[in-house]
Amino acid sequence: MTTSKSIAILPGDGIGPEVIAQAVRVIDCLNEKHAANLTYEEAPFGGAGYDLHGSPLPEVTLDLAKRSDAILLGAIGGPKWEAVERSLRPERGLLGIRSALGLFSNLRPAILYPELADASTLKPEVVSGLDIMIVRELTGGIYFGQPRGIEPTDQGERRGYNTMHYSESEISRIADSAYKIAMQRDKRLCSVDKANVLETSELWREIVIEVGKDYPDVELSHMYIDNACMQLIRAPKQFDVIVTGNIFGDILSDAASMLTGSIGMLPSASLDENGKGMYEPVHGSAPDIAGKNIANPIATILSLAMMLRSSLDRADLATKVEAAVRKVLQNGLRTADIAGPNDKPASTAEMGDAILAALE
Ligand code: IPM
Ligand code: MG
């Protein structure tokens, strides 16, 4: 009997609860059919946390996240909470949990599934075989830098300001994560910055080069963020692993996800120093389609697989889940986001049913 592992389930807002429900069915199935020994407990987060407890990251939720072995998150946010005071908006809950748990290393893969080659808006020859890993620094940079705010000026207007800074240790630990990942892949690392303008980036570049001395087998290159955006769309297959700071990673990862044709397919992980992590689909809460049972649950189910492999030491189960997803795609089942003109789109629950059937 394997030791039991605990998962904190944070469904969140919008389509979050719907896609999470399918992932929970997968957990149940792994327990029943594959003796997985996984326990789970749910807590409100984001807008749901605000509605229930007046905070996007209620204490009960943070407590649960801290004592669990890993966290599975749906998605947060929506127009309903746009008028809420800034410090209580759903996004603040997300930034808060990343910071409170020290989840500094954000892994966002962009993989093109051969079955879905037609779903990309780019030409098939540009994207076929695409497999990029973006490593985004997640607890520093301009997202967290102090001072920040909106204040009156002597000229009688207001000014908004934020501060971008990275310390040497913050840079070296994310660089180290990225080199380690590159070592398990094609051993090519591209560090993305804005060193032609920003001192923060100048230091970033220096430290990334220094950490690289421990990884002589990894080929390091540097690219400015503007060029990287352009190259990502022009010739994305030139990249293997990209490492970058918080805000550049936010932008680049959205662009990269779209290369694959469906943001509804991509999982992500946010890890701390010890490999404990929060796993979530790359897509957002999609309030426009929430409650309609049409969202694609695959990104969330693949996030669960990523969790099983990276935080719960159950690569065997991860492989089973990934194979089940693969089989369902090969059989031609498609939710609306990845459906071709001749496909009859499957619902969220139908996609879940098919993945469960493939898993059994
Ligand atoms: C993301 C999101 C968040 C971010 C928002 C919702 C705070 O865009 O995870 O990429 O900017 O990090
Ligand atoms: Mg983003």
Side-chain angles (χ1 to χ4, degrees):
M1 186 92 172
T2 51
T3 55
S4 119
K5 303 275 188 184
S6 59
I7 304 173
I9 305 268
L10 314 182
D13 312 316
I15 59 171
E18 293 163 63
V19 291
I20 282 284
Q22 301 309 316
V24 167
R25 293 175 72 201
V26 171
I27 297 175
D28 289 340
C29 173
L30 291 173
N31 279 336
E32 283 159 27
K33 302 272 159 48
H34 301 283
N37 210 357
L38 304 169
T39 64
Y40 57 87
E41 200 179 315
E42 212 173 285
F45 184 54
Y50 175 79
D51 288 348
L52 216 66
H53 297 288
S55 158
L57 177 54
E59 225 163 280
V60 282
T61 305
L62 186 57
D63 281 351
L64 174 67
K66 282 185 173 162
R67 67 184 147 80
S68 302
D69 292 313
I71 302 141
L72 186 65
L73 167 63
I76 52 117
K80 183 176 172 198
W81 301 282
E82 261 159 28
V84 170
E85 185 209 320
R86 181 182 307 277
S87 67
L88 295 175
R89 284 190 205 147
E91 292 75 12
R92 284 302 168 104
L94 189 56
L95 298 177
I97 201 169
R98 287 172 181 171
S99 184
L101 299 181
L103 307 174
F104 72 97
S105 179
N106 182 209
L107 315 184
R108 298 190 165 183
I111 296 169
L112 188 93
Y113 289 79
E115 294 85 357
L116 301 179
D118 294 338
S120 177
T121 48
L122 274 77
K123 295 191 189 99
E125 64 269 26
V126 176
V127 289
S128 75
L130 186 79
D131 182 356
I132 300 175
M133 178 65 91
I134 296 184
V135 181
R136 168 189 177 194
E137 199 292 326
L138 202 59
T139 52
I142 199 166
Y143 270 54
F144 292 93
Q146 295 289 347
R148 63 191 293 163
I150 300 174
E151 63 178 20
T153 68
D154 296 341
Q155 285 71 41
E157 56 172 2
R158 291 175 305 159
R159 72 175 191 129
Y161 58 101
N162 291 87
T163 309
M164 184 188 239
H165 53 68
Y166 269 118
S167 65
E168 293 180 298
S169 57
E170 283 177 304
I171 303 167
S172 59
R173 70 176 180 178
I174 191 69
D176 198 69
S177 297
Y179 279 109
K180 288 206 166 77
I181 289 164
M183 283 300 288
Q184 293 163 9
R185 297 174 44 108
D186 202 33
K187 302 190 176 59
R188 290 180 296 118
L189 179 62
C190 179
S191 171
V192 171
D193 63 34
K194 190 70 185 174
N196 50 345
V197 177
L198 305 174
E199 284 80 359
T200 322
S201 284
E202 205 178 302
L203 183 66
W204 177 279
R205 203 176 264 225
E206 194 183 310
I207 302 296
V208 170
I209 292 171
E210 208 170 290
V211 174
K213 292 184 181 144
D214 294 337
Y215 300 91
D217 295 341
V218 177
E219 181 193 316
L220 174 66
S221 60
H222 304 276
M223 211 178 262
Y224 298 138
I225 176 67
D226 48 352
N227 185 30
C229 288
M230 190 263 273
Q231 295 296 335
L232 200 60
I233 291 160
R234 190 187 71 83
K237 282 189 276 182
Q238 69 185 285
F239 296 106
D240 176 26
V241 180
I242 291 176
V243 64
T244 191
N246 208 340
I247 195 161
F248 298 154
D250 178 47
I251 299 164
L252 270 187
S253 62
D254 259 32
S257 68
M258 203 51 225
L259 298 174
T260 69
S262 178
I263 194 163
M265 296 288 299
L266 301 174
S268 75
S270 306
L271 305 174
D272 74 2
E273 306 254 13
N274 306 311
K276 172 169 169 171
M278 180 163 83
Y279 296 78
E280 61 183 296
V282 164
H283 64 69
S285 60
D288 54 321
I289 60 163
K292 294 186 176 163
N293 192 28
I294 59 173
N296 187 348
I298 292 181
T300 309
I301 291 170
L302 291 177
S303 296
L304 173 66
M306 211 171 169
M307 170 196 291
L308 289 163
R309 180 173 287 112
S310 303
S311 286
L312 303 184
D313 209 16
R314 293 305 304 267
D316 57 324
L317 297 177
T319 306
K320 281 194 166 72
V321 173
E322 287 159 356
V325 168
R326 209 53 194 267
K327 188 170 159 197
V328 167
L329 288 175
Q330 272 158 11
N331 289 345
L333 199 70
R334 302 282 183 268
T335 42
D337 57 315
I338 49 174
N342 302 319
D343 297 320
K344 178 182 174 289
S347 70
T348 309
E350 282 163 354
M351 183 55 88
D353 292 343
I355 292 170
L356 285 189
L359 201 53
E360 286 168 2

